[in-house]
């Protein structure tokens, strides 16, 4: 909970998400359930009342496929 706003990130069953760093670009590869899961995470962060700086860390030990590079989804209202 952050500033009284609960942030609930849910995962679809069988979601598979892999993040690879190819040097000049990052590839996010996911099955349909994984893409819906990522979309849901982004919608949570975009929700009304979610404070600036709220974020979610995804790593190969936390939601991503083994060997994935870490991915941070963060809300920032700075221009």
């Amino acid at each position: 909970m952050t500033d009284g706003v609960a942030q609930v990130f849910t995962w679809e069953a069988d979601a598979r998400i892999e993040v690879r760093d190819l040097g000049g670009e990052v590839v996010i590869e996911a099955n349909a359930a994984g893409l819906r899961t990522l979309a849901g995470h982004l919608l949570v962060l975009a929700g009304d009342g979610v404070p600036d700086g709220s974020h979610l860390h995804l790593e190969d030990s936390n939601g991503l496929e083994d060997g994935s590079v870490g991915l941070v989804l963060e809300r920032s209202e700075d221009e």
Side-chain angles (χ1 to χ4, degrees), residues 36-79:
R36 286 189 297 268
T37 295
L38 281 175
H41 293 346
L42 293 170
L43 287 171
V44 167
L45 289 170
D48 291 339
V50 175
D52 194 44
S54 294
H55 61 279
L56 175 65
H57 288 262
L58 301 173
E59 300 168 347
D60 65 359
S61 61
N62 179 27
L64 300 180
E65 294 292 301
D66 288 342
S68 291
V69 296
L71 178 65
V72 178
L73 306 175
E74 182 173 350
R75 180 175 179 145
S76 175
E77 298 299 329
D78 293 338
E79 294 182 19

Side-chain angles (χ1 to χ4, degrees), residues 23-37:
E25 62 186 10
V26 173
V27 175
I28 299 173
E29 180 181 294
N31 63 6
L35 291 171
R36 286 189 297 268
T37 295

